[in-house]
Amino acid sequence: MPVLAVTNLELSYGDDIILRGCTLTVESRERVAIVGPNGTGKSSLLKIMAGVQKPDAGEVSLQRGSKVAYLAQDPAIEPGVTLRQHAAGAFADLAALHRQLEDTFHKLADAAGPALEKLLADQARLEARIQAAGGYAVDHRIDSVLHGLGLTDAQFELPVEKLSGGQKARLALARALLTEPDVLLMDEPTNHLDVHGRIWLEDFLVDTFKGAVVLIAHDRSVLTRVAQRVVEIERGRVISYPGGYTAFRTLRADRLRTQLEAWERQQTKFRQEQAFIDKYRAGQRAKQAKGRESRLDRARETSTLERPVELAVFEPSLPPAPRTGDIVAKASGLTMRFPREDGSTLTLFENLDITISRGERWGVVGPNGAGKSTLVECLLKKRAPTAGEVKLGAGLKVGYFSQSRSDMDPMTTVPRHIQRVVARLAEAEEGPDKPKLLNEQEARDLAGAFLFSGDRQEALLGDMSGGERARAALAGLLACARNVLVLDEPTNHLDIPSAERLEAMLARSEGKKGGTFDGTLIVVSHDRTLIDAVCDHLIVFDGKGNVSLHLGGWSEWLNGQSHAITAPEPLRRVAPPPPPPQAPAPKPKAAKSKFSWMPVEALEERIQELEGQVERIDAKLDDPDIWKDAIKAAELTARRDDLKAELDALETEWLGRV
């Protein structure tokens, strides 16, 4: 029996349908991830499951005696208590039982006869309830959870009013975890967690927490480790995929490919029918053409398929950046210290030697507050270190993406913002290497590459979400022909499709002309998937003033396969010689089709028969429930591929005749 279920949920905001007919069950101890682009209704669904938002229609059922804890993206924390007191509030019921037991002990001192017997029974009952609720060992649990989320003993007595946004988010998460609910609903719990906090959360949800988990997260590493089932919200519908996040990616790609092929086939059939009608509108086959026209009009009105979500997006050609020298930045003896209020000294890094060469991709990882952004600012000479020196190479054009975007005009659109960013830089710089101004279509193409399409290209930045503004800022940055990109937490507000798009834009462009960034890259991020995808060097902070350099990506470092960098490695990239010219291959003679023997009427009859079979399979594959059975979905997809291959050959032959 499911511990939590929602049935036939409907939710609309004005004319916008958010959820329609959504049904979802969550089994005991199951880990379910909810995914989908920003704005598709993920948070609304979670709020309805938590009981904090009412749907327009539908039901939410919770197993009798079960308890739900809900962690919002921006949790509210009541003032007037310390950090640890707020966490201990998870055991408010237990504290009340302790007070009742203490009161019972006081009464026992003067009781006798039947009153004594009653008090002794109350004592036994209260002690049993206290034991069931955690007994006297909750202090260790509170400390363990707080430490796991990166909160220190020194912070335990801080008033909650003095906590940063990240500390408040982690405190709210700690309190939710400490309630030990039967169902834990979490909306972006990793937003303010560093790498160590995210790994701890993964371990807790996989190895320790005994209840069910429903999770919204954009951290693909967390989803891969935690999720046992993935639920996607697409155009208001809930589509459930068996298996974890890796299986979801494969099954989803198969489903979208099938839907896209069905849509393209229908559009091709419509065009073919129209070509036949136009050709035989007059003459001996006019009656047949008129009948086909009636059927075509009816099909367009009643059975036109919806174009599926795109599997790929437009790949723009990024403006080429001027070449830098072999060395981009070289730091020697770099040290940064700050005096503390108690008179001690905080050391972020000490005697650090770093050489960043042209074309290298550096990831900077470590706990919050360890000094990652400070180090990058020192390397760019935006901040003076306590000791040491930095030398920058020649011809650097640095593009910097910060977490603050105060320079964005809220009254402009994304394409216009991209044009303005490029124009400002072009006006400020001199020489042949200054950025080339973009025309409107070029700006729109780049906006489209960052998933702004249709009406969103006309929307004002001030009306957009934080993730959309982040995408707009990244698009403007990549349009400026920078040869060094410094990105500080670029995926913080990005959904999964946007993060994947950014990765594609930052991937090396080996063997390609444009489309991806091929300069030098420095990324400060807790997003392990991003670091793994685009970085080949690491700067690792341990949060205790120690910094190490490694050659290799995140997975290599985690598995102990990376190599410590003990000395600068000069850039020695020799281009391979061009291949010798080859004579153009002779064009092969067109082979005869294996259906060339069939008369036109037989071709049309077989085409209609195969189209019917494909349409029946498409109808089955369009049912979200079919994708719950991966084997059955794969069998249907393979059968459809075979039919489509025969159909394509038949239609090619038919088109050559008519």
Side-chain angles (χ1 to χ4, degrees):
M1 178 181 177
V3 66
L4 179 66
V6 296
T7 309
N8 294 326
L9 293 185
E10 303 281 345
L11 181 67
S12 299
Y13 296 129
D15 295 332
D16 294 332
I17 298 175
I18 306 301
L19 303 174
R20 52 182 178 184
C22 291
T23 296
L24 173 64
T25 60
V26 181
E27 301 295 332
S28 176
R29 299 198 176 193
E30 188 179 22
R31 271 67 174 139
V32 179
I34 301 178
V35 302
N38 288 338
T40 54
K42 301 188 300 294
S43 294
S44 296
L45 176 59
L46 208 65
K47 289 176 183 176
I48 292 171
M49 296 172 75
V52 300
Q53 181 174 348
K54 295 289 185 183
D56 298 332
E59 295 182 353
V60 179
S61 304
L62 180 66
Q63 192 177 79
R64 184 180 298 239
S66 297
K67 182 170 56 175
V68 171
Y70 168 63
L71 181 70
Q73 284 194 43
D74 298 304
I77 295 180
E78 293 293 330
V81 295
T82 66
L83 183 152
R84 197 180 189 286
Q85 286 172 338
H86 180 82
F91 301 100
D93 293 342
L94 179 60
L97 291 174
H98 278 299
R99 288 193 296 270
Q100 291 179 44
L101 183 61
E102 186 177 350
D103 183 57
T104 300
F105 285 147
H106 285 303
K107 292 177 180 178
L108 279 170
D110 301 321
L116 176 61
E117 293 179 6
K118 181 180 182 305
L119 286 171
L120 289 172
D122 289 343
Q123 176 189 347
R125 176 179 54 81
L126 287 169
E127 286 178 339
R129 291 181 62 188
I130 287 171
Q131 190 64 33
Y136 298 87
V138 297
D139 286 345
H140 172 72
R141 285 164 56 192
I142 293 171
D143 292 350
S144 176
V145 171
L146 291 175
H147 287 153
L149 289 170
L151 297 166
T152 64
D153 291 338
Q155 296 168 331
F156 285 2
E157 299 308 315
L158 287 175
V160 292
E161 296 90 342
K162 292 188 176 181
L163 300 180
S164 67
Q167 290 170 332
K168 288 180 179 178
R170 281 179 280 163
L171 175 57
L173 174 57
R175 179 156 170 168
L177 295 175
L178 287 167
T179 61
E180 295 191 340
D182 301 284
V183 184
L184 180 59
L185 307 176
M186 312 175 78
D187 194 350
E188 294 293 351
T190 62
N191 269 0
H192 298 282
L193 297 183
D194 56 27
V195 170
H196 298 291
R198 296 180 187 205
I199 293 174
W200 180 90
L201 178 63
E202 291 171 10
D203 291 340
F204 182 89
L205 295 179
V206 171
D207 301 326
T208 304
F209 183 66
K210 303 304 180 186
V213 176
V214 182
L215 170 76
I216 298 173
H218 294 152
D219 187 314
R220 289 155 290 166
S221 298
V222 172
L223 293 176
T224 301
R225 175 92 190 281
V226 174
Q228 299 168 335
R229 177 161 60 102
V230 176
V231 172
E232 181 184 25
I233 300 181
E234 181 185 291
R235 292 175 176 148
R237 297 188 306 164
V238 163
I239 304 171
S240 183
Y241 297 85
Y245 183 70
T246 302
F248 154 74
R249 288 174 58 85
T250 301
L251 285 171
R252 181 178 184 272
D254 289 343
R255 183 178 68 84
L256 292 183
R257 178 176 59 83
T258 300
Q259 288 183 334
L260 183 60
E261 288 175 354
W263 179 85
E264 290 174 340
R265 166 153 305 285
Q266 186 182 63
Q267 296 299 308
T268 300
K269 180 172 176 56
F270 286 168
R271 288 192 297 270
Q272 290 171 349
E273 286 293 295
Q274 190 63 55
F276 181 93
I277 292 164
D278 293 341
K279 183 173 183 178
Y280 297 109
R281 192 181 297 276
Q284 293 182 349
R285 305 181 73 174
K287 186 175 180 180
Q288 184 182 3
K290 187 172 182 180
R292 285 198 177 194
E293 186 172 29
S294 298
R295 289 195 299 272
L296 178 59
D297 290 342
R298 192 160 52 248
R300 282 173 167 163
E301 290 177 6
T302 61
S303 60
T304 297
L305 297 175
E306 190 176 42
R307 184 183 178 92
V309 176
E310 294 290 347
L311 286 170
V313 293
F314 175 70
E315 183 89 15
S317 179
L318 296 179
R323 184 182 176 90
T324 67
D326 284 354
I327 301 301
V328 170
K330 184 172 184 178
S332 303
L334 210 58
T335 301
M336 179 59 79
R337 299 189 182 95
F338 293 100
R340 289 193 176 105
E341 292 182 0
D342 61 3
S344 62
T345 299
L346 170 65
T347 300
L348 297 181
F349 43 87
E350 188 173 21
N351 293 325
L352 192 60
D353 297 334
I354 303 176
T355 299
I356 298 177
S357 300
R358 184 181 67 246
E360 290 179 343
R361 311 299 184 85
W362 286 79
V364 187
V365 298
N368 288 329
K372 302 185 297 295
S373 297
T374 301
L375 173 61
V376 171
E377 290 174 355
C378 290
L379 289 174
L380 297 176
K381 288 194 170 183
K382 291 180 175 292
R383 181 193 288 260
T386 305
E389 65 172 349
V390 175
K391 294 181 180 179
L392 297 179
L396 301 189
K397 292 185 177 294
V398 179
Y400 188 85
F401 177 88
S402 67
Q403 297 187 50
S404 171
R405 280 169 284 282
S406 56
D407 60 337
M408 301 182 79
D409 181 358
M411 300 306 295
T412 193
T413 63
V414 175
R416 185 64 182 139
H417 166 75
I418 295 172
Q419 287 180 298
R420 286 181 178 177
V421 169
V422 175
R424 281 200 301 266
L425 277 177
E427 185 177 349
E429 295 181 2
E430 298 293 336
D433 292 334
K434 71 178 185 178
K436 173 184 171 292
L437 297 179
L438 301 182
N439 60 39
E440 182 176 354
Q441 188 57 53
E442 289 171 330
R444 287 186 178 277
D445 287 346
L446 190 55
F450 276 89
L451 308 182
F452 291 102
S453 59
D455 294 342
R456 298 315 290 168
Q457 290 212 359
E458 306 304 325
L460 299 179
L461 290 173
D463 296 330
M464 291 186 172
S465 66
E468 288 177 312
R469 288 195 294 273
R471 277 190 276 135
L474 287 165
L477 188 63
L478 286 169
C480 291
R482 305 293 87 181
N483 50 29
V484 179
L485 283 184
V486 180
L487 309 180
D488 192 352
E489 295 294 354
T491 61
N492 253 9
H493 298 284
L494 299 186
D495 55 23
I496 292 174
S498 303
E500 291 176 341
R501 180 88 292 257
L502 176 62
E503 285 176 13
M505 300 285 282
L506 296 178
R508 289 193 181 279
S509 58
E510 295 171 2
K512 297 174 67 177
K513 294 181 180 179
T516 51
F517 174 73
D518 56 4
T520 305
L521 183 66
I522 301 174
V523 181
V524 181
S525 181
H526 300 309
D527 188 334
R528 291 158 285 169
T529 306
L530 174 71
I531 293 291
D532 240 359
V534 304
C535 295
D536 51 25
H537 291 68
L538 290 183
I539 302 174
V540 182
F541 285 73
D542 69 354
K544 301 175 183 178
N546 302 310
V547 181
S548 56
L549 310 181
H550 297 268
L551 174 60
W554 170 263
S555 294
E556 293 168 312
W557 176 79
L558 195 64
N559 296 328
Q561 297 172 349
S562 67
H563 302 285
I565 300 173
T566 56
E569 298 179 352
L571 189 70
R572 300 183 186 276
R573 294 197 178 111
V574 180
Q582 296 180 353
K587 292 184 179 180
K589 293 182 179 179
K592 261 194 171 184
S593 163
K594 65 179 181 178
F595 301 110
S596 58
W597 61 271
M598 295 178 69
V600 171
E601 292 77 10
L603 284 172
E604 291 177 347
E605 184 178 342
R606 180 59 178 161
I607 286 172
Q608 277 191 319
E609 179 185 342
L610 291 178
E611 284 175 342
Q613 294 182 44
V614 171
E615 285 174 4
R616 287 190 289 275
I617 292 178
D618 286 342
K620 292 179 181 179
L621 291 174
D622 195 45
D623 181 2
D625 288 339
I626 203 71
W627 296 92
K628 295 178 182 177
D629 186 338
I631 296 176
K632 188 173 182 180
E635 289 175 350
L636 283 171
T637 302
R639 173 61 179 155
R640 186 189 185 283
D641 289 343
D642 292 341
L643 293 172
K644 183 177 179 299
E646 182 182 352
L647 196 52
D648 286 344
L650 285 165
E651 287 179 341
T652 300
E653 178 67 27
W654 182 82
L655 286 170
R657 307 270 194 95
V658 300

